Amino acid sequence: HMEVLYDLDTEATAKAAELGLPVRRSATVGDAPRFAAAVRDLVLERAASERGRAVERCALGSLGPSHDLCPVGCCPARAPKPAAAGADSPYIT
């Protein structure tokens, strides 16, 4: 995204120079084929799930796949708030 490039390459670099701090840009995934394939797989998996199909969830590590929507109380906040996309969200009907 061009706005991110501007933020990092122009504004943040100028601010770092103003403060006398060194700047080094980290590489991004860009259009790496493995990254694009992983995003594609996740989108297709979610689309199949939304259509009611049984899908085998992709997961790495020993914890297995997680949920698609945060259950109520999943992400504790400092003050009580609805879950971002959980059952208590005003956007879920």
Side-chain angles (χ1 to χ4, degrees), residues 27-41:
T28 59
V29 294
D31 60 357
R34 288 179 56 205
F35 176 74
V39 170
R40 177 189 176 274
D41 290 347

Side-chain angles (χ1 to χ4, degrees), residues 9 16 19 23 28-29 36 42 45 51 57 71 74-75 78-79 88 92-93:
D9 293 342
L19 298 171
V23 174
T28 59
V29 294
L42 291 171
E45 175 187 300
R51 292 184 183 108
R57 303 272 188 222
C74 173
C75 305
R78 294 175 206 203
D88 56 346
I92 304 294
T93 55

Side-chain angles (χ1 to χ4, degrees), residues 9-78:
D9 293 342
T10 305
E11 291 185 335
T13 301
K15 187 62 169 178
E18 177 187 320
L19 298 171
L21 298 172
V23 174
R24 179 171 292 168
R25 277 280 261 124
S26 296
T28 59
V29 294
D31 60 357
R34 288 179 56 205
F35 176 74
V39 170
R40 177 189 176 274
D41 290 347
L42 291 171
V43 169
L44 291 175
E45 175 187 300
R46 182 59 185 260
S49 175
E50 289 295 318
R51 292 184 183 108
R53 296 184 187 155
V55 269
E56 185 176 334
R57 303 272 188 222
C58 296
L60 296 174
S62 61
L63 297 177
S66 189
H67 46 269
D68 288 335
L69 298 175
C70 288
V72 175
C74 173
C75 305
R78 294 175 206 203

